[in-house]
Amino acid sequence: QGESPDEVALVQAASNVGIVLERREAVGNSVVHRVCYGGDRAEDHNITHVLGFTSDRARMSVIAARSDGSAVLTTKGADSIMAGLLKDPLPAQATRALAEFSRQGLRTLVVARKTIPPADFSAWRARWAEANSAMEDRNAKLDREAAAIEEGLTYVGITALEDRLQDRVPSTIATLREAGIRVWVLTGDKVETAVEIAKSCKLLEAGMKIVKVVDTSSPRECTTKLREVPRSSSELSLKGMPLRQAMVLDGKSVGHILSDAKAKTALYEVAVASSSCVCCRLSPMQKRELVELVRMQNPKAITLAIGDGANDVPMIQGAHVGIGIRGKEGSAAVQASDMAISQFHFLGNLVFCHGRKAYRRIATFLCFFIYKSVALGWSYV
């Protein structure tokens, strides 16, 4: 078991080439991992600290202590975050590989490491223990200490994993769009990766006009780009004709838009004129703020959020209807949702069959309740 399916996939890939994680056992305040390298060769790695992943950090680190008092820090994270932690820029070959993997729809991570001298590790360990025992602002102090040690890293390599779609996802999304439901994808993946995944699930189709608002520097620039979208798309949506427009945004641009009232209005106007939207590099709170933006701009709109991971919990809780998918990402989304399903394609039956029947039952009950109240009240007149 691992904190994410990515970690399990990497351990399985290492096992396939002969590097096997044999066992883990707790020894004091650390966890010793026995790793076999084929034949009779084996090594014990003493993991003393795990600096966990959060949406703000967008990275994860482990520290393995050595017998001489030094330690090795290994960090994995998004390339946009890791680039600022490396002591040297990413090699050109790595940059090309990241772009190529993203175009193939693979989820990429950059791995880096550094050796911590004994004196530095001992001093940092004391500061970490002090921050961990703080009664106030503990999380903030721990984040500061984690950031202090995750500097001056040396590039090691890149991992690329396929986030395979479940069965019947493209057909389910096509059915939702045919019913007039606007579909938004809110993800933390890179723009190129998210666009390729959107194409594979038929959210972005050939011949569709794509409005891109990425790499912006201010709310004014975002508003200008959004207002440059032709009015013809808006007119088509008002006439009820099929929409042939989609929108792509990144987390930086979304941050600018959410900070300005005019940009929010412009985003909603373009969203109404689009059949789908792909938002990339988003934090969990940005996902929720986008849902709340739609609810604020159109109080009559009904929003539904569906996700399978802990990063989707704020979005699920911010929508009118929250649906969690049971899967390999854990149970946080299921526990925070209004209802849970095991496969994405069950969403079609949930909305079009059970949802419609539940709506009619409630409507019939309300009519009966009002009739009963009037009949009983009239008898006393």
PDB file of all heavy atoms in Angstrom, residues 191-222:
ATOM      1  N   VAL A 191      -0.867  21.500 -18.309  1.00  0.00           N
ATOM      2  CA  VAL A 191      -1.803  21.875 -19.373  1.00  0.00           C
ATOM      3  C   VAL A 191      -1.781  20.835 -20.487  1.00  0.00           C
ATOM      4  O   VAL A 191      -2.834  20.359 -20.938  1.00  0.00           O
ATOM      5  CB  VAL A 191      -1.462  23.270 -19.928  1.00  0.00           C
ATOM      6  CG1 VAL A 191      -2.348  23.598 -21.126  1.00  0.00           C
ATOM      7  CG2 VAL A 191      -1.629  24.329 -18.845  1.00  0.00           C
ATOM      8  N   GLU A 192      -0.591  20.458 -20.941  1.00  0.00           N
ATOM      9  CA  GLU A 192      -0.495  19.511 -22.050  1.00  0.00           C
ATOM     10  C   GLU A 192      -1.102  18.159 -21.680  1.00  0.00           C
ATOM     11  O   GLU A 192      -1.805  17.541 -22.482  1.00  0.00           O
ATOM     12  CB  GLU A 192       0.975  19.328 -22.461  1.00  0.00           C
ATOM     13  CG  GLU A 192       1.644  20.584 -22.992  1.00  0.00           C
ATOM     14  CD  GLU A 192       2.194  21.474 -21.895  1.00  0.00           C
ATOM     15  OE1 GLU A 192       1.997  21.132 -20.707  1.00  0.00           O
ATOM     16  OE2 GLU A 192       2.812  22.508 -22.223  1.00  0.00           O
ATOM     17  N   THR A 193      -0.818  17.694 -20.455  1.00  0.00           N
ATOM     18  CA  THR A 193      -1.370  16.415 -20.016  1.00  0.00           C
ATOM     19  C   THR A 193      -2.882  16.460 -19.943  1.00  0.00           C
ATOM     20  O   THR A 193      -3.582  15.549 -20.409  1.00  0.00           O
ATOM     21  CB  THR A 193      -0.793  16.043 -18.641  1.00  0.00           C
ATOM     22  OG1 THR A 193       0.637  16.011 -18.715  1.00  0.00           O
ATOM     23  CG2 THR A 193      -1.307  14.689 -18.189  1.00  0.00           C
ATOM     24  N   ALA A 194      -3.421  17.534 -19.345  1.00  0.00           N
ATOM     25  CA  ALA A 194      -4.872  17.652 -19.190  1.00  0.00           C
ATOM     26  C   ALA A 194      -5.567  17.742 -20.546  1.00  0.00           C
ATOM     27  O   ALA A 194      -6.646  17.164 -20.742  1.00  0.00           O
ATOM     28  CB  ALA A 194      -5.203  18.875 -18.352  1.00  0.00           C
ATOM     29  N   VAL A 195      -4.967  18.444 -21.500  1.00  0.00           N
ATOM     30  CA  VAL A 195      -5.569  18.582 -22.827  1.00  0.00           C
ATOM     31  C   VAL A 195      -5.615  17.229 -23.533  1.00  0.00           C
ATOM     32  O   VAL A 195      -6.623  16.871 -24.160  1.00  0.00           O
ATOM     33  CB  VAL A 195      -4.790  19.617 -23.668  1.00  0.00           C
ATOM     34  CG1 VAL A 195      -5.211  19.554 -25.136  1.00  0.00           C
ATOM     35  CG2 VAL A 195      -5.022  21.026 -23.126  1.00  0.00           C
ATOM     36  N   GLU A 196      -4.531  16.455 -23.428  1.00  0.00           N
ATOM     37  CA  GLU A 196      -4.519  15.134 -24.072  1.00  0.00           C
ATOM     38  C   GLU A 196      -5.536  14.195 -23.441  1.00  0.00           C
ATOM     39  O   GLU A 196      -6.204  13.427 -24.132  1.00  0.00           O
ATOM     40  CB  GLU A 196      -3.111  14.530 -23.981  1.00  0.00           C
ATOM     41  CG  GLU A 196      -2.072  15.237 -24.825  1.00  0.00           C
ATOM     42  CD  GLU A 196      -2.452  15.288 -26.294  1.00  0.00           C
ATOM     43  OE1 GLU A 196      -2.963  14.271 -26.808  1.00  0.00           O
ATOM     44  OE2 GLU A 196      -2.261  16.337 -26.929  1.00  0.00           O
ATOM     45  N   ILE A 197      -5.673  14.245 -22.114  1.00  0.00           N
ATOM     46  CA  ILE A 197      -6.673  13.413 -21.450  1.00  0.00           C
ATOM     47  C   ILE A 197      -8.079  13.842 -21.868  1.00  0.00           C
ATOM     48  O   ILE A 197      -8.970  13.008 -22.088  1.00  0.00           O
ATOM     49  CB  ILE A 197      -6.499  13.489 -19.919  1.00  0.00           C
ATOM     50  CG1 ILE A 197      -5.173  12.841 -19.517  1.00  0.00           C
ATOM     51  CG2 ILE A 197      -7.668  12.815 -19.200  1.00  0.00           C
ATOM     52  CD1 ILE A 197      -4.857  12.959 -18.040  1.00  0.00           C
ATOM     53  N   ALA A 198      -8.290  15.168 -21.985  1.00  0.00           N
ATOM     54  CA  ALA A 198      -9.602  15.670 -22.422  1.00  0.00           C
ATOM     55  C   ALA A 198      -9.922  15.200 -23.834  1.00  0.00           C
ATOM     56  O   ALA A 198     -11.076  14.884 -24.149  1.00  0.00           O
ATOM     57  CB  ALA A 198      -9.628  17.191 -22.348  1.00  0.00           C
ATOM     58  N   LYS A 199      -8.907  15.124 -24.685  1.00  0.00           N
ATOM     59  CA  LYS A 199      -9.136  14.630 -26.045  1.00  0.00           C
ATOM     60  C   LYS A 199      -9.466  13.131 -26.029  1.00  0.00           C
ATOM     61  O   LYS A 199     -10.326  12.677 -26.791  1.00  0.00           O
ATOM     62  CB  LYS A 199      -7.905  14.881 -26.909  1.00  0.00           C
ATOM     63  CG  LYS A 199      -7.672  16.352 -27.250  1.00  0.00           C
ATOM     64  CD  LYS A 199      -6.425  16.524 -28.099  1.00  0.00           C
ATOM     65  CE  LYS A 199      -6.197  17.983 -28.457  1.00  0.00           C
ATOM     66  NZ  LYS A 199      -4.942  18.179 -29.255  1.00  0.00           N
ATOM     67  N   SER A 200      -8.789  12.382 -25.168  1.00  0.00           N
ATOM     68  CA  SER A 200      -9.030  10.937 -25.132  1.00  0.00           C
ATOM     69  C   SER A 200     -10.427  10.605 -24.621  1.00  0.00           C
ATOM     70  O   SER A 200     -10.981   9.569 -24.979  1.00  0.00           O
ATOM     71  CB  SER A 200      -7.977  10.259 -24.255  1.00  0.00           C
ATOM     72  OG  SER A 200      -8.105  10.657 -22.908  1.00  0.00           O
ATOM     73  N   CYS A 201     -11.001  11.460 -23.781  1.00  0.00           N
ATOM     74  CA  CYS A 201     -12.358  11.190 -23.285  1.00  0.00           C
ATOM     75  C   CYS A 201     -13.403  12.015 -24.036  1.00  0.00           C
ATOM     76  O   CYS A 201     -14.519  12.214 -23.536  1.00  0.00           O
ATOM     77  CB  CYS A 201     -12.450  11.425 -21.782  1.00  0.00           C
ATOM     78  SG  CYS A 201     -12.018  13.055 -21.231  1.00  0.00           S
ATOM     79  N   LYS A 202     -13.044  12.503 -25.225  1.00  0.00           N
ATOM     80  CA  LYS A 202     -13.979  13.160 -26.148  1.00  0.00           C
ATOM     81  C   LYS A 202     -14.550  14.470 -25.584  1.00  0.00           C
ATOM     82  O   LYS A 202     -15.608  14.917 -26.024  1.00  0.00           O
ATOM     83  CB  LYS A 202     -15.130  12.217 -26.520  1.00  0.00           C
ATOM     84  CG  LYS A 202     -14.688  10.869 -27.063  1.00  0.00           C
ATOM     85  CD  LYS A 202     -13.829  11.014 -28.302  1.00  0.00           C
ATOM     86  CE  LYS A 202     -13.407   9.646 -28.836  1.00  0.00           C
ATOM     87  NZ  LYS A 202     -12.503   9.768 -30.012  1.00  0.00           N
ATOM     88  N   LEU A 203     -13.831  15.071 -24.648  1.00  0.00           N
ATOM     89  CA  LEU A 203     -14.266  16.368 -24.145  1.00  0.00           C
ATOM     90  C   LEU A 203     -13.851  17.476 -25.104  1.00  0.00           C
ATOM     91  O   LEU A 203     -14.563  18.467 -25.271  1.00  0.00           O
ATOM     92  CB  LEU A 203     -13.676  16.608 -22.754  1.00  0.00           C
ATOM     93  CG  LEU A 203     -14.308  17.710 -21.915  1.00  0.00           C
ATOM     94  CD1 LEU A 203     -15.766  17.405 -21.649  1.00  0.00           C
ATOM     95  CD2 LEU A 203     -13.554  17.874 -20.605  1.00  0.00           C
ATOM     96  N   LEU A 204     -12.696  17.305 -25.722  1.00  0.00           N
ATOM     97  CA  LEU A 204     -12.230  18.202 -26.778  1.00  0.00           C
ATOM     98  C   LEU A 204     -12.230  17.422 -28.081  1.00  0.00           C
ATOM     99  O   LEU A 204     -11.597  16.368 -28.176  1.00  0.00           O
ATOM    100  CB  LEU A 204     -10.822  18.727 -26.469  1.00  0.00           C
ATOM    101  CG  LEU A 204     -10.644  19.509 -25.164  1.00  0.00           C
ATOM    102  CD1 LEU A 204      -9.203  19.944 -25.002  1.00  0.00           C
ATOM    103  CD2 LEU A 204     -11.579  20.697 -25.111  1.00  0.00           C
ATOM    104  N   GLU A 205     -12.954  17.925 -29.077  1.00  0.00           N
ATOM    105  CA  GLU A 205     -13.107  17.215 -30.339  1.00  0.00           C
ATOM    106  C   GLU A 205     -12.437  17.969 -31.477  1.00  0.00           C
ATOM    107  O   GLU A 205     -12.162  19.176 -31.376  1.00  0.00           O
ATOM    108  CB  GLU A 205     -14.601  17.026 -30.643  1.00  0.00           C
ATOM    109  CG  GLU A 205     -15.352  16.229 -29.588  1.00  0.00           C
ATOM    110  CD  GLU A 205     -16.840  16.179 -29.855  1.00  0.00           C
ATOM    111  OE1 GLU A 205     -17.297  16.991 -30.687  1.00  0.00           O
ATOM    112  OE2 GLU A 205     -17.529  15.344 -29.254  1.00  0.00           O
ATOM    113  N   ALA A 206     -12.191  17.247 -32.557  1.00  0.00           N
ATOM    114  CA  ALA A 206     -11.591  17.864 -33.738  1.00  0.00           C
ATOM    115  C   ALA A 206     -12.528  18.928 -34.313  1.00  0.00           C
ATOM    116  O   ALA A 206     -13.741  18.723 -34.382  1.00  0.00           O
ATOM    117  CB  ALA A 206     -11.296  16.792 -34.786  1.00  0.00           C
ATOM    118  N   GLY A 207     -11.960  20.038 -34.700  1.00  0.00           N
ATOM    119  CA  GLY A 207     -12.754  21.127 -35.256  1.00  0.00           C
ATOM    120  C   GLY A 207     -13.333  22.065 -34.218  1.00  0.00           C
ATOM    121  O   GLY A 207     -13.969  23.061 -34.559  1.00  0.00           O
ATOM    122  N   MET A 208     -13.139  21.755 -32.946  1.00  0.00           N
ATOM    123  CA  MET A 208     -13.672  22.599 -31.880  1.00  0.00           C
ATOM    124  C   MET A 208     -12.718  23.768 -31.639  1.00  0.00           C
ATOM    125  O   MET A 208     -11.499  23.598 -31.569  1.00  0.00           O
ATOM    126  CB  MET A 208     -13.857  21.775 -30.613  1.00  0.00           C
ATOM    127  CG  MET A 208     -14.386  22.558 -29.425  1.00  0.00           C
ATOM    128  SD  MET A 208     -14.580  21.515 -27.952  1.00  0.00           S
ATOM    129  CE  MET A 208     -16.032  20.570 -28.415  1.00  0.00           C
ATOM    130  N   LYS A 209     -13.282  24.955 -31.503  1.00  0.00           N
ATOM    131  CA  LYS A 209     -12.470  26.129 -31.199  1.00  0.00           C
ATOM    132  C   LYS A 209     -12.092  26.100 -29.727  1.00  0.00           C
ATOM    133  O   LYS A 209     -12.938  25.931 -28.856  1.00  0.00           O
ATOM    134  CB  LYS A 209     -13.234  27.418 -31.506  1.00  0.00           C
ATOM    135  CG  LYS A 209     -12.440  28.665 -31.156  1.00  0.00           C
ATOM    136  CD  LYS A 209     -13.213  29.931 -31.420  1.00  0.00           C
ATOM    137  CE  LYS A 209     -12.395  31.131 -30.993  1.00  0.00           C
ATOM    138  NZ  LYS A 209     -13.094  32.406 -31.200  1.00  0.00           N
ATOM    139  N   ILE A 210     -10.787  26.247 -29.427  1.00  0.00           N
ATOM    140  CA  ILE A 210     -10.294  26.198 -28.062  1.00  0.00           C
ATOM    141  C   ILE A 210      -9.797  27.578 -27.656  1.00  0.00           C
ATOM    142  O   ILE A 210      -8.887  28.132 -28.277  1.00  0.00           O
ATOM    143  CB  ILE A 210      -9.175  25.154 -27.909  1.00  0.00           C
ATOM    144  CG1 ILE A 210      -9.702  23.759 -28.262  1.00  0.00           C
ATOM    145  CG2 ILE A 210      -8.619  25.162 -26.488  1.00  0.00           C
ATOM    146  CD1 ILE A 210      -8.648  22.675 -28.191  1.00  0.00           C
ATOM    147  N   VAL A 211     -10.402  28.139 -26.632  1.00  0.00           N
ATOM    148  CA  VAL A 211      -9.993  29.432 -26.086  1.00  0.00           C
ATOM    149  C   VAL A 211      -9.012  29.164 -24.956  1.00  0.00           C
ATOM    150  O   VAL A 211      -9.371  28.549 -23.951  1.00  0.00           O
ATOM    151  CB  VAL A 211     -11.212  30.227 -25.567  1.00  0.00           C
ATOM    152  CG1 VAL A 211     -10.763  31.548 -24.961  1.00  0.00           C
ATOM    153  CG2 VAL A 211     -12.208  30.455 -26.686  1.00  0.00           C
ATOM    154  N   LYS A 212      -7.761  29.597 -25.104  1.00  0.00           N
ATOM    155  CA  LYS A 212      -6.731  29.349 -24.101  1.00  0.00           C
ATOM    156  C   LYS A 212      -6.407  30.629 -23.342  1.00  0.00           C
ATOM    157  O   LYS A 212      -6.124  31.664 -23.947  1.00  0.00           O
ATOM    158  CB  LYS A 212      -5.454  28.805 -24.749  1.00  0.00           C
ATOM    159  CG  LYS A 212      -5.547  27.352 -25.169  1.00  0.00           C
ATOM    160  CD  LYS A 212      -4.191  26.797 -25.555  1.00  0.00           C
ATOM    161  CE  LYS A 212      -4.268  25.304 -25.861  1.00  0.00           C
ATOM    162  NZ  LYS A 212      -2.941  24.742 -26.167  1.00  0.00           N
ATOM    163  N   VAL A 213      -6.469  30.529 -22.023  1.00  0.00           N
ATOM    164  CA  VAL A 213      -6.048  31.624 -21.147  1.00  0.00           C
ATOM    165  C   VAL A 213      -5.010  31.030 -20.201  1.00  0.00           C
ATOM    166  O   VAL A 213      -5.339  30.528 -19.123  1.00  0.00           O
ATOM    167  CB  VAL A 213      -7.242  32.220 -20.369  1.00  0.00           C
ATOM    168  CG1 VAL A 213      -6.782  33.405 -19.529  1.00  0.00           C
ATOM    169  CG2 VAL A 213      -8.347  32.657 -21.322  1.00  0.00           C
ATOM    170  N   VAL A 214      -3.750  31.082 -20.613  1.00  0.00           N
ATOM    171  CA  VAL A 214      -2.660  30.466 -19.847  1.00  0.00           C
ATOM    172  C   VAL A 214      -1.487  31.439 -19.773  1.00  0.00           C
ATOM    173  O   VAL A 214      -1.328  32.317 -20.623  1.00  0.00           O
ATOM    174  CB  VAL A 214      -2.215  29.137 -20.486  1.00  0.00           C
ATOM    175  CG1 VAL A 214      -3.337  28.119 -20.461  1.00  0.00           C
ATOM    176  CG2 VAL A 214      -1.741  29.346 -21.912  1.00  0.00           C
ATOM    177  N   ASP A 215      -0.677  31.256 -18.743  1.00  0.00           N
ATOM    178  CA  ASP A 215       0.542  32.054 -18.545  1.00  0.00           C
ATOM    179  C   ASP A 215       0.262  33.547 -18.550  1.00  0.00           C
ATOM    180  O   ASP A 215       1.003  34.335 -19.160  1.00  0.00           O
ATOM    181  CB  ASP A 215       1.582  31.713 -19.632  1.00  0.00           C
ATOM    182  CG  ASP A 215       2.049  30.277 -19.534  1.00  0.00           C
ATOM    183  OD1 ASP A 215       2.105  29.748 -18.402  1.00  0.00           O
ATOM    184  OD2 ASP A 215       2.346  29.674 -20.583  1.00  0.00           O
ATOM    185  N   THR A 216      -0.786  33.966 -17.899  1.00  0.00           N
ATOM    186  CA  THR A 216      -1.106  35.380 -17.801  1.00  0.00           C
ATOM    187  C   THR A 216      -0.392  35.983 -16.590  1.00  0.00           C
ATOM    188  O   THR A 216       0.028  35.272 -15.669  1.00  0.00           O
ATOM    189  CB  THR A 216      -2.612  35.615 -17.672  1.00  0.00           C
ATOM    190  OG1 THR A 216      -3.098  34.893 -16.534  1.00  0.00           O
ATOM    191  CG2 THR A 216      -3.334  35.125 -18.920  1.00  0.00           C
ATOM    192  N   SER A 217      -0.280  37.317 -16.601  1.00  0.00           N
ATOM    193  CA  SER A 217       0.469  37.994 -15.544  1.00  0.00           C
ATOM    194  C   SER A 217      -0.379  38.900 -14.671  1.00  0.00           C
ATOM    195  O   SER A 217       0.116  39.420 -13.664  1.00  0.00           O
ATOM    196  CB  SER A 217       1.605  38.825 -16.168  1.00  0.00           C
ATOM    197  OG  SER A 217       1.081  39.771 -17.095  1.00  0.00           O
ATOM    198  N   SER A 218      -1.648  39.134 -15.040  1.00  0.00           N
ATOM    199  CA  SER A 218      -2.486  40.039 -14.261  1.00  0.00           C
ATOM    200  C   SER A 218      -3.957  39.767 -14.549  1.00  0.00           C
ATOM    201  O   SER A 218      -4.293  39.194 -15.599  1.00  0.00           O
ATOM    202  CB  SER A 218      -2.153  41.499 -14.609  1.00  0.00           C
ATOM    203  OG  SER A 218      -2.504  41.786 -15.950  1.00  0.00           O
ATOM    204  N   PRO A 219      -4.852  40.181 -13.650  1.00  0.00           N
ATOM    205  CA  PRO A 219      -6.290  40.040 -13.911  1.00  0.00           C
ATOM    206  C   PRO A 219      -6.729  40.804 -15.156  1.00  0.00           C
ATOM    207  O   PRO A 219      -7.628  40.340 -15.880  1.00  0.00           O
ATOM    208  CB  PRO A 219      -6.932  40.612 -12.644  1.00  0.00           C
ATOM    209  CG  PRO A 219      -5.907  40.452 -11.582  1.00  0.00           C
ATOM    210  CD  PRO A 219      -4.586  40.644 -12.277  1.00  0.00           C
ATOM    211  N   ARG A 220      -6.106  41.948 -15.415  1.00  0.00           N
ATOM    212  CA  ARG A 220      -6.480  42.735 -16.603  1.00  0.00           C
ATOM    213  C   ARG A 220      -6.191  41.956 -17.877  1.00  0.00           C
ATOM    214  O   ARG A 220      -6.996  41.955 -18.820  1.00  0.00           O
ATOM    215  CB  ARG A 220      -5.732  44.064 -16.612  1.00  0.00           C
ATOM    216  CG  ARG A 220      -6.027  44.923 -17.832  1.00  0.00           C
ATOM    217  CD  ARG A 220      -5.303  46.249 -17.776  1.00  0.00           C
ATOM    218  NE  ARG A 220      -5.772  47.053 -16.647  1.00  0.00           N
ATOM    219  CZ  ARG A 220      -5.300  48.273 -16.370  1.00  0.00           C
ATOM    220  NH1 ARG A 220      -4.329  48.792 -17.120  1.00  0.00           N
ATOM    221  NH2 ARG A 220      -5.781  48.950 -15.354  1.00  0.00           N
ATOM    222  N   GLU A 221      -5.044  41.263 -17.924  1.00  0.00           N
ATOM    223  CA  GLU A 221      -4.711  40.478 -19.118  1.00  0.00           C
ATOM    224  C   GLU A 221      -5.709  39.341 -19.299  1.00  0.00           C
ATOM    225  O   GLU A 221      -6.125  39.043 -20.428  1.00  0.00           O
ATOM    226  CB  GLU A 221      -3.290  39.924 -18.990  1.00  0.00           C
ATOM    227  CG  GLU A 221      -2.828  39.149 -20.215  1.00  0.00           C
ATOM    228  CD  GLU A 221      -1.424  38.598 -20.058  1.00  0.00           C
ATOM    229  OE1 GLU A 221      -0.768  38.913 -19.037  1.00  0.00           O
ATOM    230  OE2 GLU A 221      -0.992  37.820 -20.945  1.00  0.00           O
ATOM    231  N   CYS A 222      -6.108  38.702 -18.196  1.00  0.00           N
ATOM    232  CA  CYS A 222      -7.105  37.626 -18.287  1.00  0.00           C
ATOM    233  C   CYS A 222      -8.426  38.164 -18.826  1.00  0.00           C
ATOM    234  O   CYS A 222      -9.049  37.552 -19.706  1.00  0.00           O
ATOM    235  CB  CYS A 222      -7.325  37.004 -16.910  1.00  0.00           C
ATOM    236  SG  CYS A 222      -5.909  36.131 -16.235  1.00  0.00           S
TER     237      CYS A 222
END
